[in-house]
Amino acid sequence: MLSRESSAALMGAVTAFIYKEARLQDEHAYEAWEALWTDDGIYWVPANGDDIDPEKEMSVIYDNRSRISLRIKQLLTGKRHTQTPQSRLRRLVSNIELLDEQASGDISVASNSMVFESSLRDDTIWAARNEYRLRYVDGELRMAYKKVILVNNEKALFTLSFLI
C-alpha cells in the first residue's frame, strides 16, 4: 500500500502519464505510444469475461512486447482497411486510482475510460476499466502492463482496429 505522502506525490505524475497515453492513442501517434512501454510489456484486452486465463482462452488482444511492436508496424503501413480513413477518436479518462506499489517498484493503477469512435462504419462508444502496472525507467513512467476491460466484452464486438 502506498503511503499518504508517496501517493500524493505520485498521483500527479500518474495522471499526466495516463492523459498523455490517451492523447497519443486518440491522435494515432503510434510510435510515441509504443515508446511508453517497457521491454517486458503486456497489452491485454480480455474477451468473454474480465478475468479469463489469456493463455487458455481467447482475448481481443493479448500482446507481449514483440506483438505490440508488430501491431504498431501494421498500423503504420496505412493498409488496415478498417482504418482507411482512420477513425476519429476522443476519450475521456476518469477515476484514476493508485492501487498499490509492489516490492519490485511497479505501481498498480486503474482508471475508467469512455472512447468515442467515429468511422465510415458508424459512431461507436467504447467503455472500459483500464488496469496498469507502471514502472519508472530512466526517470520516466512506462507501462509494463495494460489490461483494458471492455464493459461489453461478452458480446460480439465491432472491429477494434485502433489502440484502446
Side-chain angles (χ1 to χ4, degrees), residues 25-28 30 74-89 117-122 126 159-163:
Q25 291 174 306
D26 287 348
E27 295 175 356
H28 304 281
Y30 305 123
Q74 290 171 341
L75 288 166
L76 289 171
T77 65
K79 295 181 179 175
R80 281 196 151 191
H81 73 278
T82 58
Q83 283 297 298
T84 307
Q86 289 180 324
S87 296
R88 294 179 53 96
L89 303 168
E117 177 191 18
S118 183
S119 67
L120 289 178
R121 179 187 66 237
D122 204 352
W126 304 86
T159 301
L160 186 63
S161 58
F162 58 90
L163 300 173

XYZ file of all heavy atoms in Angstrom, residues 25-28 30 74-89 117-122 126 159-163:
280
model
N -3.034 7.901 -28.202
C -3.929 6.942 -28.849
C -4.937 7.678 -29.741
O -5.168 7.285 -30.878
C -4.670 6.119 -27.803
C -3.767 5.165 -27.044
C -4.511 4.466 -25.926
O -5.117 5.109 -25.073
N -4.468 3.148 -25.940
N -5.550 8.727 -29.222
C -6.555 9.463 -29.996
C -5.971 10.097 -31.251
O -6.652 10.228 -32.266
C -7.201 10.564 -29.140
C -8.152 10.004 -28.100
O -8.495 8.798 -28.175
O -8.548 10.774 -27.205
N -4.716 10.490 -31.184
C -4.077 11.162 -32.317
C -3.332 10.188 -33.232
O -2.624 10.617 -34.134
C -3.127 12.246 -31.792
C -3.881 13.350 -31.068
C -2.983 14.385 -30.424
O -1.740 14.233 -30.456
O -3.538 15.349 -29.877
N -3.478 8.893 -32.983
C -2.806 7.869 -33.791
C -1.298 8.101 -33.823
O -0.644 7.869 -34.843
C -3.368 7.830 -35.221
C -4.849 7.622 -35.272
N -5.435 6.383 -35.113
C -5.868 8.504 -35.424
C -6.744 6.507 -35.193
N -7.042 7.778 -35.379
N 1.351 6.469 -33.075
C 1.691 5.091 -32.737
C 3.099 4.923 -32.180
O 3.305 4.202 -31.205
C 1.515 4.191 -33.962
C 0.150 4.253 -34.573
C -0.021 4.594 -35.904
C -0.986 3.984 -33.817
C -1.293 4.645 -36.473
C -2.254 4.036 -34.369
C -2.398 4.372 -35.703
O -3.637 4.438 -36.255
N 2.054 -2.665 -38.224
C 0.893 -2.867 -39.096
C 0.072 -1.586 -39.216
O -0.378 -1.227 -40.307
C 0.021 -4.002 -38.561
C 0.664 -5.366 -38.689
C -0.126 -6.448 -37.965
O -0.946 -6.167 -37.095
N 0.143 -7.701 -38.322
N -0.128 -0.899 -38.099
C -0.890 0.347 -38.141
C -0.181 1.408 -38.975
O -0.811 2.203 -39.666
C -1.141 0.867 -36.723
C -2.159 0.074 -35.905
C -2.087 0.456 -34.424
C -3.577 0.279 -36.443
N 1.149 1.400 -38.941
C 1.916 2.401 -39.687
C 1.932 2.140 -41.188
O 2.307 3.021 -41.956
C 3.352 2.463 -39.149
C 3.490 3.090 -37.760
C 4.905 2.902 -37.220
C 3.116 4.567 -37.797
N 1.536 0.946 -41.631
C 1.509 0.691 -43.066
C 0.428 1.510 -43.758
O 0.514 1.765 -44.957
C 1.243 -0.797 -43.382
O -0.073 -1.128 -42.938
C 2.289 -1.697 -42.762
N -0.610 1.894 -42.997
C -1.729 2.602 -43.598
C -2.598 1.698 -44.448
O -3.454 2.160 -45.193
N -2.384 0.389 -44.342
C -3.116 -0.554 -45.180
C -4.145 -1.366 -44.398
O -4.572 -2.418 -44.853
C -2.133 -1.497 -45.869
C -1.237 -0.757 -46.841
C -0.283 -1.684 -47.529
C 0.579 -0.888 -48.510
N 1.600 -1.704 -49.126
N -4.511 -0.908 -43.226
C -5.584 -1.589 -42.492
C -6.906 -1.025 -43.020
O -7.233 0.132 -42.756
C -5.456 -1.327 -41.000
C -4.401 -2.182 -40.360
C -4.560 -2.173 -38.885
N -4.068 -3.443 -38.383
C -4.241 -3.846 -37.161
N -4.907 -3.111 -36.314
N -3.765 -5.000 -36.768
N -7.639 -1.848 -43.757
C -8.828 -1.319 -44.426
C -9.863 -0.788 -43.444
O -10.613 0.114 -43.762
C -9.433 -2.362 -45.369
C -10.130 -3.475 -44.684
N -9.467 -4.558 -44.171
C -11.446 -3.659 -44.413
C -10.341 -5.385 -43.616
N -11.538 -4.866 -43.755
N -9.893 -1.317 -42.227
C -10.859 -0.798 -41.254
C -10.420 0.547 -40.687
O -11.196 1.203 -40.007
C -11.064 -1.781 -40.089
O -9.797 -2.021 -39.461
C -11.679 -3.082 -40.568
N -9.200 0.947 -40.986
C -8.708 2.251 -40.530
C -8.344 3.136 -41.719
O -7.435 3.954 -41.641
C -7.507 2.084 -39.591
C -7.906 1.665 -38.202
C -8.762 2.711 -37.512
O -8.336 3.837 -37.281
N -9.997 2.364 -37.210
N -9.060 2.953 -42.822
C -8.874 3.792 -44.006
C -10.218 4.395 -44.382
O -11.056 3.701 -44.925
C -8.309 2.972 -45.184
O -7.124 2.289 -44.743
C -7.985 3.854 -46.354
N -10.466 5.623 -44.079
C -9.617 6.538 -43.321
C -9.609 6.186 -41.834
O -10.468 5.435 -41.368
C -10.272 7.895 -43.558
C -11.722 7.581 -43.738
C -11.740 6.244 -44.445
N -8.653 6.738 -41.133
C -8.537 6.460 -39.705
C -9.786 6.922 -38.960
O -10.371 7.951 -39.289
C -7.341 7.204 -39.108
C -6.008 6.664 -39.538
C -4.861 7.433 -38.924
O -4.943 8.640 -38.746
N -3.789 6.726 -38.628
N -10.169 6.143 -37.972
C -11.257 6.557 -37.092
C -10.863 7.850 -36.388
O -9.706 8.048 -36.042
C -11.514 5.500 -36.023
O -11.946 4.301 -36.580
N -11.835 8.696 -36.194
C -11.607 9.881 -35.364
C -11.966 9.461 -33.940
O -13.046 8.906 -33.703
C -12.438 11.063 -35.850
C -11.988 11.542 -37.239
C -12.825 12.700 -37.729
N -12.884 13.787 -36.784
C -12.102 14.878 -36.807
N -11.202 14.994 -37.758
N -12.231 15.837 -35.916
N -11.059 9.722 -33.022
C -11.198 9.222 -31.651
C -11.071 10.352 -30.635
O -10.257 11.258 -30.817
C -10.099 8.202 -31.345
C -9.983 6.993 -32.255
C -8.674 6.254 -32.005
C -11.166 6.063 -32.033
N -15.630 6.713 -30.988
C -15.010 6.429 -32.279
C -15.979 6.812 -33.378
O -17.112 6.329 -33.406
C -14.674 4.939 -32.410
C -14.096 4.599 -33.783
C -14.004 3.095 -34.061
O -14.682 2.312 -33.371
O -13.270 2.746 -34.987
N -15.541 7.649 -34.288
C -16.321 7.981 -35.471
C -15.571 7.429 -36.680
O -14.418 7.790 -36.924
C -16.496 9.502 -35.605
O -17.316 9.785 -36.721
N -16.220 6.530 -37.407
C -15.591 5.920 -38.579
C -16.613 5.874 -39.707
O -17.781 6.222 -39.517
C -15.108 4.506 -38.257
O -16.212 3.656 -38.008
N -16.176 5.407 -40.886
C -17.110 5.288 -42.006
C -18.260 4.350 -41.658
O -19.372 4.512 -42.127
C -16.389 4.784 -43.252
C -15.440 5.766 -43.915
C -14.766 5.111 -45.114
C -16.165 7.034 -44.335
N -17.954 3.347 -40.842
C -18.958 2.348 -40.455
C -20.076 2.964 -39.626
O -21.235 2.762 -39.876
C -18.267 1.217 -39.679
C -19.183 0.125 -39.196
C -18.477 -0.883 -38.294
N -18.049 -0.249 -37.056
C -16.797 -0.207 -36.607
N -15.835 -0.783 -37.285
N -16.492 0.392 -35.477
N -19.700 3.742 -38.634
C -20.683 4.319 -37.720
C -19.946 5.023 -36.587
O -18.732 5.049 -36.558
C -21.572 3.200 -37.136
C -22.927 3.695 -36.679
O -23.158 4.925 -36.664
O -23.772 2.853 -36.337
N -17.051 3.112 -26.730
C -16.404 2.005 -26.035
C -16.191 2.443 -24.585
O -15.599 3.486 -24.339
C -15.047 1.694 -26.657
C -15.072 1.388 -28.123
C -15.030 2.280 -29.155
C -15.153 0.105 -28.721
N -15.074 1.627 -30.365
C -15.142 0.278 -30.119
C -15.211 -1.190 -28.222
C -15.208 -0.776 -31.013
C -15.268 -2.243 -29.109
C -15.267 -2.039 -30.486
N -15.130 -4.377 -35.159
C -13.681 -4.399 -35.305
C -13.046 -3.351 -34.404
O -13.426 -2.190 -34.425
C -13.313 -4.108 -36.776
O -13.908 -5.093 -37.582
C -11.818 -4.129 -36.963
N -12.102 -3.781 -33.653
C -11.364 -2.889 -32.754
C -9.965 -2.755 -33.334
O -9.045 -3.456 -32.943
C -11.333 -3.494 -31.354
C -10.742 -2.669 -30.232
C -11.543 -1.392 -30.010
C -10.715 -3.475 -28.957
N -9.834 -1.877 -34.319
C -8.580 -1.811 -35.062
C -7.796 -0.544 -34.770
O -7.025 -0.081 -35.582
C -8.847 -1.928 -36.552
O -9.715 -0.894 -36.955
N -8.006 0.002 -33.594
C -7.210 1.143 -33.151
C -6.689 0.801 -31.763
O -6.998 -0.258 -31.216
C -8.044 2.438 -33.140
C -9.263 2.358 -32.266
C -9.196 2.715 -30.935
C -10.485 1.923 -32.775
C -10.315 2.630 -30.115
C -11.609 1.845 -31.974
C -11.522 2.199 -30.637
N -5.899 1.680 -31.195
C -5.348 1.439 -29.864
C -6.383 1.804 -28.825
O -6.831 2.937 -28.774
C -4.071 2.255 -29.662
C -2.949 1.960 -30.651
C -1.804 2.957 -30.464
C -2.459 0.534 -30.490
